[in-house]
Amino acid sequence: MAIISSKKTSKSAQQGELLSKTASPSVDSATCPAAATESLLQPKAAGDERSSKHDEKLRPQQLGDYVGQKELKEVLQIAIQAAQSRKEALDHLLLYGPPGLGKTTIALILSAEMGVNCKVTSAPALERPRDIVGLLMNLQPGDVLFIDEIHRLNRMTEELLYPAMEDFRLDIVTGKNQTAKTRSIPLPPFTLVGATTRVGALSSPLRDRFGFIQRLRFYEPDELSQIVLRTAEILHTAIVPDAATEVARRSRGTPRIANRLLKRVRDYAEVKGVGAVTQAIATEALELFNVDPCGLDWTDRRLLTVMIEHFNGGPVGLETMAAATGEDAQTIEEVYEPYLLQIGYLNRTPRGRIATPAAWKHLGYQPPEHQISLLH
């Protein structure tokens, strides 16, 4: 695919520089051998995005150790066995779903199961075409390229991926205007694993080039309990099964949150010097950190309380809620409301938000006998 522009400062001029710069691309990539457990880090991660070696050890290294997502595991197991029998690279895989459900972990497991390397990056890091070119040209046969938040790829980078995914070639335009020439560079067969929280934001041409499109679901409490017990063992934290269940039921169906809460419970137990974490200790710790039995934090409860006490449960508009609580409207809509909707504590209607009877009861209020009909 040739990408040519007639502007003086054209995209082809940018691509013309790629061949001389792909040996040292500006975006670092984390190359992780399948057997390694301490080098599977995202390149150039900053602040809270930077994973520690301890965090990486929490990730399962084999598909058999991965808890939950039973249907997805069956699909991947068949794909892995088929690819290994044909001695081919896995087909491209698109994973979508809420954050914290294990999309990055699955990519790393796939590379380990196939015995190949894994390069991990994110779409915002691929700002210029030469960034993705450098990654693609350094791939070895069968390697896994994991791109997180793939829906945020810019158009130039996305179009470079089309022939790379479909025909394993890289089309680069050198020169500009009348001297522009297209050069095709063959690439080794590889597997692109894309992860996104917004699958609808992907363009159809990119989405249709994935051989597998799989959704990750929220975890059940018993699955999260297994994850908590496994993490506690890795962290050398003594915990009883009932305490693991208590942490799991407050984790919003998300392994990342379960591991985070376990670490806070561990800190509490160590400071108090209570030894093994019991259900009572886990409950005390989580109440201290304002996480209630349904996984609601202080802000979640504040939103529902304001709706009930100030607006009789609603309906109330989003902007009114933002003004009444002091929270940003977008933050309320994108961060807090999804979980409240998921557990049935909030309804969105054309007239505004409504707190459900379940929310009234959870916060200790008596729901009204007759709520305002949504049809009037």
Side-chain angles (χ1 to χ4, degrees), residues 33-46:
T37 60
E38 296 183 355
S39 59
L40 307 179
L41 300 179
Q42 182 172 336
K44 301 181 75 173

Side-chain angles (χ1 to χ4, degrees), residues 138-283:
N138 287 322
L139 291 174
Q140 299 299 317
D143 278 359
V144 173
L145 174 61
F146 176 73
I147 302 180
D148 198 11
E149 297 299 316
I150 195 170
H151 65 274
R152 296 176 62 182
L153 283 176
N154 61 52
R155 184 176 179 182
M156 190 74 169
T157 301
E158 183 176 316
E159 291 184 351
L160 284 171
L161 278 177
Y162 293 163
M165 294 175 65
E166 208 163 26
D167 303 319
F168 300 114
R169 77 172 194 273
L170 191 59
D171 291 339
I172 296 179
V173 177
T174 59
K176 55 184 178 180
N177 299 333
Q178 296 179 349
T179 62
K181 296 181 180 179
T182 302
R183 179 177 178 182
S184 293
I185 302 174
L187 297 172
F190 69 96
T191 300
L192 175 63
V193 179
T196 178
T197 56
R198 298 174 55 194
V199 68
L202 265 70
S203 65
S204 295
L206 179 60
R207 187 170 58 247
D208 293 344
R209 282 171 168 80
F210 286 95
F212 299 97
I213 301 178
Q214 299 290 324
R215 184 185 189 278
L216 275 69
R217 61 170 179 80
F218 286 104
Y219 286 64
E220 299 296 331
D222 60 326
E223 296 172 340
L224 288 173
S225 181
Q226 296 178 47
I227 293 174
V228 170
L229 291 172
R230 177 183 177 276
T231 301
E233 183 179 355
I234 295 174
L235 297 178
H236 306 292
T237 300
I239 185 171
V240 301
D242 287 345
T245 301
E246 188 66 30
V247 174
R249 63 195 287 250
R250 301 176 185 236
S251 300
R252 300 188 178 210
T254 305
R256 181 181 295 166
I257 296 177
N259 288 334
R260 187 178 71 218
L261 295 181
L262 174 62
K263 291 178 181 179
R264 303 291 72 78
V265 171
R266 176 193 61 175
D267 294 344
Y268 181 86
E270 289 179 356
V271 171
K272 296 296 183 180
V274 296
V277 178
T278 63
Q279 183 177 10
I281 294 300
T283 301

Side-chain angles (χ1 to χ4, degrees), residues 41-87:
L41 300 179
Q42 182 172 336
K44 301 181 75 173
D48 58 352
E49 294 179 353
R50 185 178 291 117
S51 301
S52 67
K53 292 181 179 180
H54 231 160
D55 292 334
E56 291 303 325
K57 290 181 180 179
L58 300 183
R59 298 184 187 274
Q61 304 298 313
Q62 298 178 348
L63 199 59
D65 298 332
Y66 190 93
V67 179
Q69 310 294 342
K70 181 179 178 181
E71 295 81 4
L72 174 60
K73 286 166 59 177
E74 292 177 354
V75 170
L76 294 180
Q77 190 64 55
I78 292 174
I80 290 171
Q81 293 179 1
Q84 288 176 337
S85 66
R86 295 192 299 265
K87 297 182 179 180

Side-chain angles (χ1 to χ4, degrees), residues 33-35 61-62 84 107-118 144:
Q61 304 298 313
Q62 298 178 348
Q84 288 176 337
L108 300 177
I109 287 176
L110 288 179
S111 66
E113 293 282 356
M114 293 295 295
V116 297
N117 296 327
C118 176
V144 173

Side-chain angles (χ1 to χ4, degrees), residues 282-294:
T283 301
E284 290 178 14
L286 294 172
E287 292 293 339
L288 176 65
F289 292 108
N290 289 313
V291 181
D292 73 11
C294 286

